[in-house]
Amino acid sequence: MGMYSGEGATSNYTGTYGVARDVTERKVAEETINFQAYHDLLTKLPNRALLRDRLSMAINQAKRDDEKLAVMFLDLDRFKNINDSLGHMIGDELLQQVSIRLKECIRAGDTLARFGGDEFTLLLPKLKNGRRDASKLAEKITNALKQPFYVEGHELYVSTSIGIALYPNDGMQIDSLIKHADVAMYHVKGQGKNGYQFYSNEMNVPYIEKLSLDTGIHRALDNNEFNLVYQPQINLRTGEIVGVEALLRWEHPEHGSISPSEFIPFAEESGLIVDIGYWVIKNACAELSRWRLAGLPEIRISINISARQLMEDGIVSNIIEIMKDYDLPGRCIELEITENAIMSDMDSIIRKLRELSEHDITIAIDDFGTGYSSLSYLHKLPIQTLKIDRTFLKESRINKGDNTIINTIVAMAKGLGLNVIAEGVESQAQLEYLREIECSEAQGFLFGKPLPPDVISQLLIQEPSATPGSQSSSSKSTHWHH
Ligand code: C2E
Ligand code: MG
Ligand code: MG
């Protein structure tokens, strides 16, 4: 033994203690490598490979025991916004916090994996009522994400789109289950995000189209496939057209006209909405300036701004520059944004809205009542207009006397000194009701569909002249007096 022990031992020979340490180190190293091979380093969640492993086991077990299981595909909505505008450090920290909150929603035997980027996958084995259990969890997750996240002084709101595929109905193999959950997730995105859907067979076609949609949107700007139509907004007291909302139309060379609600969600995900948005602002302003130069009565133009656009650093200065290029006064420009857009990063967005207000540009909250609908923050915002979502004005509701929401919104707007526009007015009965509760403005098919610019200028020519300062009296007849 003497040779092996003591000072004389060469470095070739390590004592037993050393061997043990060596083994431990190797073990730790192996474990680390193992962990790294099967986990996502940022969130420490299982990765794609481990999820596939577990899914394969779960499928076998489900087959054997005649059980159900669900695969959920989660994609955070507009996460790219946060990464692009606040930086990757904050994005990463947010992803970690989100993964912790998601983990709190699941059971012990479930697997939550990060698929990369802002995508998570959930495996729910051994479900008693496949559909019901899965929707319960999806709702739980949606609710859990409603509370804000706090990252380095930013209050951030996150929502997610969830697609669900069930074994055995929607697939019996790993790949078909994952793919179908992904397809269902894209459907949620396409329908305005923030929610969940189960896969169904009819969903496959739009999925293929989705891929060509992205490249299509890219081309559309270069090829001039976009145009704007304008929908009149009527002052309910005077009956005059006081504004128009610019609405985007896409004439696809093969698919024909594609509705903005179908492609804007995808343009937001890919970030293309920023370029499209500037195109819209420029063209709407150009149109308004043509109407003004032609001596038509002064009206306001309302432009929809997506959450993604609002996060852009240069958005405010760019809008102001466009406004000046076309020699427009700020009071003629209203920007329509949704509640959710404000909530995504409230402080920085309020700052931007203030700056716009300093240039007399007004801000309207679009689809009011459908978002986070926390009324408490309203007085903090530099806004001038509420646009009541058309679901609250449904005829069936009005006829049934189910008017609480719309009454409340109008009363509240008055209390706060805000202008209020009712959207989607289609019938005389709705109009009468709105007049009764003294809603200030309305917009809808009853007054006019979204129209090409030359039709709008014709309408404006027929308007009784609304020279600034001279309010039209009730004796003046206008189109919209019924
Ligand atoms: P929105 O801003 O709430 O626009 C109102 C939508 O309601 C328009 O749909 C309009 O055509 C429709 N509408 C108006 N009156 C009536 C009515 O009486 N009855 C019914 N049933 N519908 C009516 P559209 O043009 O399909 O636009 C859908 C959404 O797409 C818009 O909702 C807006 O969120 C978005 N969008 C449109 N243009 C743009 C744009 O330039 N930029 C951005 N970011 N979003 C846009
Ligand atoms: Mg709008
Ligand atoms: Mg709306």
Side-chain angles (χ1 to χ4, degrees), residues 233 245-247 302-305 336-338 366-367 387 423 443:
Q233 298 174 325
E245 177 176 7
L247 293 160
S302 300
I303 303 172
N304 293 283
I305 303 286
E336 295 192 5
I337 58 185
T338 60
D366 205 351
D367 307 334
K387 292 193 79 178
E423 286 189 288
Q443 176 184 346

PDB file of all heavy atoms in Angstrom, residues 233 245-247 302-305 336-338 366-367 387 423 443, ligand 2:
ATOM      1  N   GLN A 233     -69.514  58.808 -38.348  1.00  0.00           N
ATOM      2  CA  GLN A 233     -69.885  58.888 -36.934  1.00  0.00           C
ATOM      3  C   GLN A 233     -70.776  60.127 -36.795  1.00  0.00           C
ATOM      4  O   GLN A 233     -70.412  61.208 -37.245  1.00  0.00           O
ATOM      5  CB  GLN A 233     -68.630  59.016 -36.060  1.00  0.00           C
ATOM      6  CG  GLN A 233     -67.719  57.795 -36.194  1.00  0.00           C
ATOM      7  CD  GLN A 233     -66.394  57.939 -35.452  1.00  0.00           C
ATOM      8  OE1 GLN A 233     -65.838  59.033 -35.379  1.00  0.00           O
ATOM      9  NE2 GLN A 233     -65.886  56.838 -34.922  1.00  0.00           N
ATOM     10  N   GLU A 245     -64.523  56.772 -39.058  1.00  0.00           N
ATOM     11  CA  GLU A 245     -63.501  55.833 -38.598  1.00  0.00           C
ATOM     12  C   GLU A 245     -62.859  55.175 -39.803  1.00  0.00           C
ATOM     13  O   GLU A 245     -63.556  54.671 -40.690  1.00  0.00           O
ATOM     14  CB  GLU A 245     -64.106  54.750 -37.683  1.00  0.00           C
ATOM     15  CG  GLU A 245     -63.063  53.714 -37.256  1.00  0.00           C
ATOM     16  CD  GLU A 245     -63.575  52.661 -36.278  1.00  0.00           C
ATOM     17  OE1 GLU A 245     -64.792  52.624 -35.990  1.00  0.00           O
ATOM     18  OE2 GLU A 245     -62.741  51.869 -35.788  1.00  0.00           O
ATOM     19  N   ALA A 246     -61.535  55.197 -39.858  1.00  0.00           N
ATOM     20  CA  ALA A 246     -60.809  54.546 -40.950  1.00  0.00           C
ATOM     21  C   ALA A 246     -60.720  53.054 -40.646  1.00  0.00           C
ATOM     22  O   ALA A 246     -60.257  52.663 -39.580  1.00  0.00           O
ATOM     23  CB  ALA A 246     -59.411  55.132 -41.078  1.00  0.00           C
ATOM     24  N   LEU A 247     -61.178  52.238 -41.561  1.00  0.00           N
ATOM     25  CA  LEU A 247     -61.127  50.787 -41.365  1.00  0.00           C
ATOM     26  C   LEU A 247     -60.366  50.139 -42.511  1.00  0.00           C
ATOM     27  O   LEU A 247     -60.585  50.450 -43.684  1.00  0.00           O
ATOM     28  CB  LEU A 247     -62.545  50.222 -41.252  1.00  0.00           C
ATOM     29  CG  LEU A 247     -63.291  50.667 -39.980  1.00  0.00           C
ATOM     30  CD1 LEU A 247     -64.790  50.519 -40.133  1.00  0.00           C
ATOM     31  CD2 LEU A 247     -62.785  49.882 -38.764  1.00  0.00           C
ATOM     32  N   SER A 302     -60.946  58.954 -37.103  1.00  0.00           N
ATOM     33  CA  SER A 302     -60.571  58.017 -36.037  1.00  0.00           C
ATOM     34  C   SER A 302     -59.743  56.897 -36.628  1.00  0.00           C
ATOM     35  O   SER A 302     -60.128  56.276 -37.613  1.00  0.00           O
ATOM     36  CB  SER A 302     -61.810  57.408 -35.388  1.00  0.00           C
ATOM     37  OG  SER A 302     -62.593  58.431 -34.839  1.00  0.00           O
ATOM     38  N   ILE A 303     -58.606  56.658 -36.011  1.00  0.00           N
ATOM     39  CA  ILE A 303     -57.672  55.645 -36.517  1.00  0.00           C
ATOM     40  C   ILE A 303     -57.445  54.588 -35.433  1.00  0.00           C
ATOM     41  O   ILE A 303     -57.156  54.925 -34.287  1.00  0.00           O
ATOM     42  CB  ILE A 303     -56.335  56.300 -36.912  1.00  0.00           C
ATOM     43  CG1 ILE A 303     -56.575  57.392 -37.958  1.00  0.00           C
ATOM     44  CG2 ILE A 303     -55.355  55.255 -37.424  1.00  0.00           C
ATOM     45  CD1 ILE A 303     -55.341  58.228 -38.271  1.00  0.00           C
ATOM     46  N   ASN A 304     -57.604  53.323 -35.797  1.00  0.00           N
ATOM     47  CA  ASN A 304     -57.373  52.231 -34.843  1.00  0.00           C
ATOM     48  C   ASN A 304     -55.881  51.983 -34.671  1.00  0.00           C
ATOM     49  O   ASN A 304     -55.144  51.851 -35.637  1.00  0.00           O
ATOM     50  CB  ASN A 304     -58.032  50.943 -35.340  1.00  0.00           C
ATOM     51  CG  ASN A 304     -59.538  51.050 -35.336  1.00  0.00           C
ATOM     52  OD1 ASN A 304     -60.168  50.961 -34.293  1.00  0.00           O
ATOM     53  ND2 ASN A 304     -60.115  51.281 -36.506  1.00  0.00           N
ATOM     54  N   ILE A 305     -55.457  51.924 -33.425  1.00  0.00           N
ATOM     55  CA  ILE A 305     -54.044  51.679 -33.131  1.00  0.00           C
ATOM     56  C   ILE A 305     -53.958  50.406 -32.294  1.00  0.00           C
ATOM     57  O   ILE A 305     -54.620  50.293 -31.267  1.00  0.00           O
ATOM     58  CB  ILE A 305     -53.439  52.845 -32.313  1.00  0.00           C
ATOM     59  CG1 ILE A 305     -53.614  54.178 -33.042  1.00  0.00           C
ATOM     60  CG2 ILE A 305     -51.981  52.590 -31.985  1.00  0.00           C
ATOM     61  CD1 ILE A 305     -52.719  54.384 -34.234  1.00  0.00           C
ATOM     62  N   GLU A 336     -58.033  55.288 -31.740  1.00  0.00           N
ATOM     63  CA  GLU A 336     -58.841  54.297 -31.027  1.00  0.00           C
ATOM     64  C   GLU A 336     -57.943  53.183 -30.522  1.00  0.00           C
ATOM     65  O   GLU A 336     -57.257  52.526 -31.303  1.00  0.00           O
ATOM     66  CB  GLU A 336     -59.909  53.711 -31.947  1.00  0.00           C
ATOM     67  CG  GLU A 336     -60.925  54.746 -32.389  1.00  0.00           C
ATOM     68  CD  GLU A 336     -62.146  54.107 -33.060  1.00  0.00           C
ATOM     69  OE1 GLU A 336     -62.233  52.865 -33.100  1.00  0.00           O
ATOM     70  OE2 GLU A 336     -62.999  54.873 -33.534  1.00  0.00           O
ATOM     71  N   ILE A 337     -57.947  53.008 -29.222  1.00  0.00           N
ATOM     72  CA  ILE A 337     -57.163  51.915 -28.659  1.00  0.00           C
ATOM     73  C   ILE A 337     -58.040  51.091 -27.724  1.00  0.00           C
ATOM     74  O   ILE A 337     -59.036  51.584 -27.220  1.00  0.00           O
ATOM     75  CB  ILE A 337     -55.917  52.444 -27.912  1.00  0.00           C
ATOM     76  CG1 ILE A 337     -56.336  53.395 -26.803  1.00  0.00           C
ATOM     77  CG2 ILE A 337     -54.991  53.183 -28.855  1.00  0.00           C
ATOM     78  CD1 ILE A 337     -55.179  54.045 -26.122  1.00  0.00           C
ATOM     79  N   THR A 338     -57.678  49.845 -27.522  1.00  0.00           N
ATOM     80  CA  THR A 338     -58.501  49.003 -26.652  1.00  0.00           C
ATOM     81  C   THR A 338     -57.983  49.065 -25.218  1.00  0.00           C
ATOM     82  O   THR A 338     -56.831  49.431 -24.987  1.00  0.00           O
ATOM     83  CB  THR A 338     -58.482  47.531 -27.109  1.00  0.00           C
ATOM     84  OG1 THR A 338     -57.136  47.082 -27.054  1.00  0.00           O
ATOM     85  CG2 THR A 338     -59.022  47.384 -28.515  1.00  0.00           C
ATOM     86  N   ASP A 366     -61.674  51.904 -27.478  1.00  0.00           N
ATOM     87  CA  ASP A 366     -62.492  51.121 -28.405  1.00  0.00           C
ATOM     88  C   ASP A 366     -63.042  49.874 -27.710  1.00  0.00           C
ATOM     89  O   ASP A 366     -62.442  49.383 -26.757  1.00  0.00           O
ATOM     90  CB  ASP A 366     -61.615  50.701 -29.592  1.00  0.00           C
ATOM     91  CG  ASP A 366     -62.418  50.428 -30.848  1.00  0.00           C
ATOM     92  OD1 ASP A 366     -63.660  50.400 -30.771  1.00  0.00           O
ATOM     93  OD2 ASP A 366     -61.789  50.241 -31.909  1.00  0.00           O
ATOM     94  N   ASP A 367     -64.152  49.386 -28.201  1.00  0.00           N
ATOM     95  CA  ASP A 367     -64.761  48.154 -27.673  1.00  0.00           C
ATOM     96  C   ASP A 367     -64.888  48.227 -26.153  1.00  0.00           C
ATOM     97  O   ASP A 367     -64.668  47.223 -25.459  1.00  0.00           O
ATOM     98  CB  ASP A 367     -63.919  46.918 -28.045  1.00  0.00           C
ATOM     99  CG  ASP A 367     -63.649  46.834 -29.531  1.00  0.00           C
ATOM    100  OD1 ASP A 367     -64.454  47.384 -30.297  1.00  0.00           O
ATOM    101  OD2 ASP A 367     -62.646  46.227 -29.927  1.00  0.00           O
ATOM    102  N   LYS A 387     -65.922  54.289 -26.678  1.00  0.00           N
ATOM    103  CA  LYS A 387     -66.744  53.669 -27.718  1.00  0.00           C
ATOM    104  C   LYS A 387     -67.358  52.402 -27.141  1.00  0.00           C
ATOM    105  O   LYS A 387     -66.643  51.436 -26.848  1.00  0.00           O
ATOM    106  CB  LYS A 387     -65.895  53.331 -28.942  1.00  0.00           C
ATOM    107  CG  LYS A 387     -65.391  54.555 -29.676  1.00  0.00           C
ATOM    108  CD  LYS A 387     -64.848  54.169 -31.039  1.00  0.00           C
ATOM    109  CE  LYS A 387     -65.974  53.950 -32.057  1.00  0.00           C
ATOM    110  NZ  LYS A 387     -65.428  53.614 -33.385  1.00  0.00           N
ATOM    111  N   GLU A 423     -71.401  51.982 -30.863  1.00  0.00           N
ATOM    112  CA  GLU A 423     -71.011  51.296 -32.088  1.00  0.00           C
ATOM    113  C   GLU A 423     -72.085  50.314 -32.521  1.00  0.00           C
ATOM    114  O   GLU A 423     -72.795  49.770 -31.684  1.00  0.00           O
ATOM    115  CB  GLU A 423     -69.754  50.450 -31.839  1.00  0.00           C
ATOM    116  CG  GLU A 423     -68.471  51.197 -31.714  1.00  0.00           C
ATOM    117  CD  GLU A 423     -67.310  50.199 -31.684  1.00  0.00           C
ATOM    118  OE1 GLU A 423     -67.144  49.503 -30.678  1.00  0.00           O
ATOM    119  OE2 GLU A 423     -66.601  50.123 -32.691  1.00  0.00           O
ATOM    120  N   GLN A 443     -72.524  55.265 -34.420  1.00  0.00           N
ATOM    121  CA  GLN A 443     -71.875  54.783 -35.639  1.00  0.00           C
ATOM    122  C   GLN A 443     -72.486  53.424 -35.922  1.00  0.00           C
ATOM    123  O   GLN A 443     -72.717  52.650 -34.997  1.00  0.00           O
ATOM    124  CB  GLN A 443     -70.374  54.667 -35.357  1.00  0.00           C
ATOM    125  CG  GLN A 443     -69.523  54.102 -36.440  1.00  0.00           C
ATOM    126  CD  GLN A 443     -68.060  53.957 -35.991  1.00  0.00           C
ATOM    127  OE1 GLN A 443     -67.652  54.513 -34.970  1.00  0.00           O
ATOM    128  NE2 GLN A 443     -67.285  53.209 -36.745  1.00  0.00           N
TER     129      GLN A 443
HETATM  130 MG    MG B   2     -62.359  51.020 -33.876  1.00  0.00          MG
END
